[in-house]
Amino acid sequence: AQSVTQLDSQVPVFEEAPVELRCNYSSSVSVYLFWYVQYPNQGLQLLLKYLSGSTLVKGINGFEAEFNKSQTSFHLRKPSVHISDTAEYFCAVSGENNDMRFGAGTRLTVKP
Amino acid sequence: GAVVSQHPSWVICKSGTSVKIECRSLDFQATTMFWYRQFPKQSLMLMATSNEGSKATYEQGVEKDKFLINHASLTLSTLTVTSAHPEDSSFYICSAPDGGHGNQPQHFGDGTRLSIL
């Protein structure tokens, strides 16, 4: 079965600084990788996804992620964060039957 | 874009009450929907896979008699928490893929905050 590990539970960063949220996955078969953002008391919003093709994926709100098969990673990056990016971020992996598994989440806090 | 509507958003009720949560796909058909539970400051835990016209598939450790799932149509799945107790208090989220293949992202409802007194 597939799984993901988010290496950082909390990431504090100052406004306009770059940020990287780390995610590693494990699977014995082809996987599809996603990053979601969750604001308080809300559902999840898709930031970006990797299905196949180019390993650099660009998403909404200026986020991007790079799929690295050799390192089994799918880290999320943003070159300059805003206060409004403060939220919980989840890395997820899905198999062929759509059952999605989530990482433990990373709390990104952007300070002024 | 595709939207999943979840209702109600907040429920507060007494211990022993049964609570029904609805999950609707508004502009697409969902033969499969997923139900998750999220504890404070924790990740989403997959509870069960809801399959239209057949029995739900429950994850290990999830009580099927406690969490009843019905997927009677291609646009509606319901989760009923039977005889709810305070330990059932949590944030419940449903999702549905827009398509049948694993490469489709899930569309999530806004969640239901369940508080059992």
Side-chain angles (χ1 to χ4, degrees):
Chain A
Q2 61 271 17
S3 66
V4 290
T5 302
Q6 290 182 246
L7 300 168
D8 307 294
S9 60
Q10 297 185 59
V11 173
V13 65
F14 286 105
E15 192 174 19
E16 297 184 5
V19 70
E20 178 180 83
L21 307 183
R22 298 182 292 170
C23 172
N24 285 90
Y25 70 92
S26 67
S27 176
S28 58
V29 296
S30 297
V31 295
Y32 309 107
L33 294 160
F34 306 84
W35 274 99
Y36 286 87
V37 60
Q38 185 182 34
Y39 298 99
N41 294 313
Q42 293 186 28
L44 278 69
Q45 180 182 4
L46 179 68
L47 281 177
L48 48 79
K49 60 185 177 183
Y50 172 78
L51 306 180
S52 64
S54 174
T55 56
L56 182 63
V57 180
K58 293 189 182 297
I60 63 171
N61 300 341
F63 285 93
E64 63 180 34
E66 185 160 17
F67 172 67
N68 189 317
K69 189 173 182 179
S70 63
Q71 297 185 5
T72 61
S73 68
F74 189 56
H75 301 333
L76 181 71
R77 302 185 183 97
K78 186 169 182 177
S80 176
V81 294
H82 302 287
I83 298 289
S84 59
D85 291 323
T86 295
E88 192 82 20
Y89 291 80
F90 293 97
C91 181
V93 61
S94 177
E96 294 293 336
N97 58 354
N98 268 318
D99 59 330
M100 188 167 284
R101 310 288 171 165
F102 290 85
T106 297
R107 176 71 182 173
L108 174 65
T109 302
V110 181
K111 306 174 186 178
Chain B
V3 176
V4 171
S5 173
Q6 190 172 341
H7 178 81
S9 56
W10 288 83
V11 180
I12 302 174
C13 58
K14 295 180 179 179
S15 184
T17 305
S18 291
V19 178
K20 179 184 284 188
I21 303 170
E22 293 187 349
C23 183
R24 293 181 184 272
S25 57
L26 295 185
D27 55 359
F28 66 101
Q29 294 182 332
T31 56
T32 303
M33 291 184 175
F34 299 92
W35 288 96
Y36 295 86
R37 183 173 182 176
Q38 186 180 32
F39 291 102
K41 299 186 180 181
Q42 294 189 30
S43 187
L44 282 74
M45 180 191 76
L46 179 64
M47 298 175 66
T49 302
S50 173
N51 304 298
E52 188 270 333
S54 64
K55 292 182 178 180
T57 305
Y58 290 82
E59 296 297 301
Q60 190 174 9
V62 178
E63 299 177 62
K64 61 180 67 177
D65 295 330
K66 160 70 81 174
F67 300 100
L68 299 179
I69 291 173
N70 184 276
H71 195 150
S73 76
L74 288 171
T75 59
L76 174 64
S77 174
T78 61
L79 168 68
T80 301
V81 184
T82 61
S83 187
H85 293 287
E87 59 266 27
D88 299 322
S89 298
S90 192
F91 193 55
Y92 293 87
I93 305 175
C94 70
S95 73
D98 187 3
H101 194 266
N103 63 1
Q104 300 302 315
Q106 301 282 342
H107 300 286
F108 287 85
D110 283 338
T112 297
R113 174 74 59 195
L114 176 60
S115 297
I116 308 300
L117 306 177

